[in-house]
């Protein structure tokens, strides 16, 4: 379980939709770092491939990297290692995926 109830998930999806529309209609809003809110919402929904696409897009900018961008990029890099580790530990303990 992702820890997000259906109501919150629906609100996050609506937030993501509106934020994407704002970024598309008003690209200048990137100076306000609105994409960081989008990244946080996508991480909450575990939409990691979408997060990676955003990081790639905003990594090309010649702007200083924010803490959100750096931290999220680091989390995405370590995520596969953690998943493998927890999967291996769970197998040794005889746990099923929902149990860990």
């Amino acid at each position: 379980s992702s820890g997000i109830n259906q109501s919150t998930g629906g609100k996050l999806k609506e937030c993501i939709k509106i934020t994407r529309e704002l970024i598309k209609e008003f690209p200048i809003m990137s100076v306000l770092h609105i994409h960081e809110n989008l990244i946080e919402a996508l991480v909450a929904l575990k939409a990691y491939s979408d997060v990676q696409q955003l990081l790639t897009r905003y990594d090309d900018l010649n702007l200083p990297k924010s803490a959100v961008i750096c931290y999220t990029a680091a989390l995405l890099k370590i995520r596969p290692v953690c998943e493998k580790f927890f999967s291996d530990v769970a197998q040794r303990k005889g746990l099923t995926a929902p149990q860990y």
Side-chain angles (χ1 to χ4, degrees), residues 46-62:
K46 298 183 177 185
Y48 302 122
S49 62
D50 290 343
V51 173
Q52 186 61 57
Q53 288 174 0
L54 270 176
L55 290 175
T56 301
R57 177 178 173 188
Y58 287 99
D59 194 36
D60 291 340
L61 296 179
N62 292 324

Side-chain angles (χ1 to χ4, degrees), residues 57-77:
R57 177 178 173 188
Y58 287 99
D59 194 36
D60 291 340
L61 296 179
N62 292 324
L63 299 172
K65 304 296 182 265
S66 70
V68 170
I69 299 290
C70 294
Y71 184 72
T72 304
L75 285 174
L76 287 181
K77 286 178 184 172

Side-chain angles (χ1 to χ4, degrees), residues 23 26-36 58 61 63:
I23 290 170
F26 306 101
I28 192 69
M29 289 188 79
S30 67
V31 298
L32 300 174
H33 302 281
I34 191 173
H35 57 279
E36 292 180 8
Y58 287 99
L61 296 179
L63 299 172

Side-chain angles (χ1 to χ4, degrees), residues 19-30:
T19 305
R20 283 183 169 152
E21 289 172 2
L22 284 171
I23 290 170
K24 187 176 183 179
E25 292 288 323
F26 306 101
I28 192 69
M29 289 188 79
S30 67

Side-chain angles (χ1 to χ4, degrees), residues 84-96:
K84 171 109 175 76
F85 173 78
F86 285 116
S87 175
D88 291 348
V89 169
Q91 281 181 343
R92 280 186 290 216
K93 292 186 176 190
L95 301 174
T96 62

